[in-house]
Every structure is written in C-alpha cells, then in structure tokens.
Amino acid sequence: MFTYIKVSALLILIAATCAIAQVEQQVSMELSMSFDVPYVGPIKKLDTFIFGPNISHHTEKTEAKRFYAKMLVNDSKGKIIDAKNKLYFKYNIENEEYWEIPFEKALYKRDSIKTKKGSSKKKRSGWSMAFGDGESAIDNVYRTKKNGGLLLGVESIKWKTTITDSSGGVLIIEEWEAPRLPALRLADSLNKSLQIYLGRPDTLIATFGGGFSNMMLESKNINHQLPQINGEIIKAIIQTFEENESDPTFAMELEITELIIEPLNIDNFRVPKLYTITDK
C-alpha cells in the first residue's frame, strides 16, 4: 500500500515537473542603432522584437535630425506574423492604422535573391569600403581588448579590431563581448524556427550576437593570428576613415539594450488597441 502511494506521488511529481518545463516562453529584445551618413546626417533607429513559438512582433522607429532627411527617413511601423494561425498584419504607429496582408506574402520567395548579370559590379555602400578586393589589398590587421563594463547585467570585454588597406583606408570595429546569454540564444532559436517555417534557407538567417569583425575577416578570406572572440556581441561601433583623415566617412553604433525571457503572452502579438483597420 505504502509502495503504491510512493509510486503515485512520484508520478505526480514527474508530471508536474514536465508541465512546468513545457510552459511556452517569449523573448523581448530591443535594439538601438545610430548612423552618421554623408549628406544625410545622423539617423537613429529603434527596433523592438518579441519572439514566440512560430510568432513574432516587430516594431521599428526611424528618425533623422536634418530637416530634408526627415521627409525621407522618419518612419514608425510594426508587423506581426503568426504562422500557426496564418496571419500577417502591418501597422502605422503615427496614423494608428493597421491592415491585414495575405499570409502568402510573408513566405520566402527563392527568386528574391536572384540578381541580374553584372549586379556584382554595383557600387558599394559608403561604409563597406573596398577591403580585400583586387584594388585595395589588406596591409595590416590587429586587435586589442580591455574591460568593457556592465552591459545587460553582465560584465563585458571590449574588443577593437583595426583593418588597414593599401590605399590608406582604415576600418575600425569596436565590439563588446558578453558570455553566452540564454535569452539571446532563445531569441535566436525562436526566430530561426519561424524563418524556416516561412521557407527561408538556413544559410540566409542572421544570428543574433554574431561578431562583425570576424564576419568581415572571414568574408574576405583574410588570414590572421588574432585573439579569438567567442562570446555574444551585444554592442558595436563601426567606423571607416580615408587616409590621413580624422573624421569618419561612415559611423554606425548598435546595441542590444533590452533582453527579457517571459512566459508567452499572446496579447503581446496583437495590433495595439484603438488602431483602425484600413485597406492598402
């Protein structure tokens, strides 16, 4: 009799433990970005993401400082993709309007990455610079590190990678590395699961927390003997300079400023209340 009671109690405990372990979770993440682009001026961008099981809610607010740039850049909008219920919404924050989009529009189209012949000869963006190509070979690469302070509640390491090419151009990438963050790994996993469901190839899905300097060096096949960056990159500053110039030709700063794991709340994946539906 006592043995039966003990076994029953153990089974109840195991069932309760499994139920707790199966509670669905979501991750809220905030990413702040700022650019300083020639002829356009400073631009600030704030992205907020909420990732759940095969569902996501993304808002973005972009603001330029210069008057003429405001007309082209300023924007505030959001989108919600619910793969389980085949729903896709977009909304305008300033106008407080939303509209439904056929779910098929959220699916990845393989021909969207096809490029026309000769497209590889397109001009590079102002900040990419011609590092490692046939015109400007890499002359020097070095990397230093120091204490980066407290970010997202954890101690960070600040890395500075400097790349100089034969034309005298300089690319400086400063990155703040944190230890492996469970919340960021969960956000990455939830986002990847949704993107794969929508048909995006695994190789085209960006990884949160990936380093910029390592990506640059690998993409250009640059051989180096640098200290390794193995953790999560949660903040970065990227600047490019022309030869003998002290002012950058391009500057960008980005930082993950919020990262929270919470129990799944489906209300976080709805269009804000009081918004009116419209046709687009």
Side-chain angles (χ1 to χ4, degrees):
M1 179 66 178
F2 289 110
T3 301
Y4 173 77
I5 293 174
K6 289 180 179 179
V7 171
S8 298
L10 181 60
L11 291 174
I12 293 172
L13 178 61
I14 292 173
T17 302
C18 291
I20 293 173
Q22 292 174 1
V23 170
E24 292 184 308
Q25 294 179 312
Q26 66 184 42
V27 179
S28 299
M29 182 171 73
E30 186 175 274
L31 176 64
S32 111
M33 306 176 68
S34 61
F35 307 82
D36 196 348
V37 184
Y39 310 110
V40 177
I43 298 173
K44 290 186 177 181
K45 188 170 184 285
L46 181 66
D47 289 88
T48 60
F49 303 88
I50 307 177
F51 299 105
N54 279 345
I55 191 169
S56 72
H57 188 172
H58 173 212
T59 66
E60 57 179 287
K61 297 180 181 179
T62 308
E63 181 180 358
K65 286 190 175 182
R66 294 183 182 175
F67 175 76
Y68 62 87
K70 289 181 179 181
M71 296 185 290
L72 300 173
V73 173
N74 283 18
D75 197 10
S76 56
K77 57 190 177 182
K79 69 176 180 179
I80 299 167
I81 298 178
D82 181 350
K84 181 179 179 181
N85 296 300
K86 304 292 191 296
L87 296 173
Y88 184 19
F89 295 98
K90 287 188 176 182
Y91 59 86
N92 184 292
I93 296 173
E94 292 181 356
N95 298 336
E96 296 188 348
E97 294 178 337
Y98 76 95
W99 54 98
E100 185 172 0
I101 300 173
F103 184 73
E104 291 74 21
K105 297 287 186 179
L107 300 178
Y108 176 79
K109 296 179 177 59
R110 292 190 177 276
D111 59 358
S112 65
I113 61 169
K114 290 181 179 179
T115 56
K116 296 179 180 180
K117 291 182 178 180
S119 62
S120 60
K121 297 181 180 179
K122 291 189 301 181
K123 292 183 179 180
R124 299 171 184 265
S125 62
W127 66 271
S128 62
M129 298 186 67
F131 284 105
D133 64 12
E135 299 174 2
S136 304
I138 299 300
D139 268 359
N140 189 31
V141 181
Y142 65 92
R143 176 180 284 164
T144 61
K145 75 171 182 176
K146 65 179 183 179
N147 185 282
L150 202 64
L151 293 175
L152 292 178
V154 297
E155 288 293 336
S156 67
I157 297 172
K158 180 183 176 182
W159 296 90
K160 182 177 180 180
T161 305
T162 303
I163 305 175
T164 307
D165 68 18
S166 58
S167 70
V170 178
L171 170 64
I172 297 177
I173 304 176
E174 297 174 285
E175 298 165 292
W176 281 255
E177 177 195 11
R180 184 179 176 87
L181 300 171
L184 197 57
R185 290 305 94 232
L186 180 58
D188 206 47
S189 175
L190 291 170
N191 177 60
K192 183 175 181 179
S193 177
L194 175 60
Q195 295 302 320
I196 289 176
Y197 183 95
L198 297 175
R200 182 174 291 273
D202 189 9
T203 55
L204 297 181
I205 302 173
T207 300
F208 298 129
F212 291 91
S213 57
N214 285 344
M215 179 177 64
M216 170 69 75
L217 296 172
E218 290 172 6
S219 67
K220 299 299 182 182
N221 294 318
I222 300 172
N223 294 320
H224 61 84
Q225 298 293 328
L226 300 177
Q228 291 298 305
I229 303 176
N230 299 313
E232 313 271 21
I233 300 302
I234 54 178
K235 179 180 177 179
I237 298 176
I238 301 172
Q239 298 179 90
T240 60
F241 299 84
E242 298 294 341
E243 185 177 14
N244 298 324
E245 293 291 335
S246 58
D247 294 328
T249 54
F250 176 86
M252 177 176 73
E253 179 175 349
L254 61 160
E255 179 180 356
I256 298 174
T257 55
E258 183 177 285
L259 193 61
I260 303 172
I261 297 179
E262 302 170 302
L264 180 66
N265 182 356
I266 201 64
D267 288 338
N268 293 147
F269 300 92
R270 302 188 193 282
V271 174
K273 293 180 179 179
L274 304 181
Y275 278 30
T276 57
I277 190 166
T278 184
D279 293 326
K280 287 284 185 179

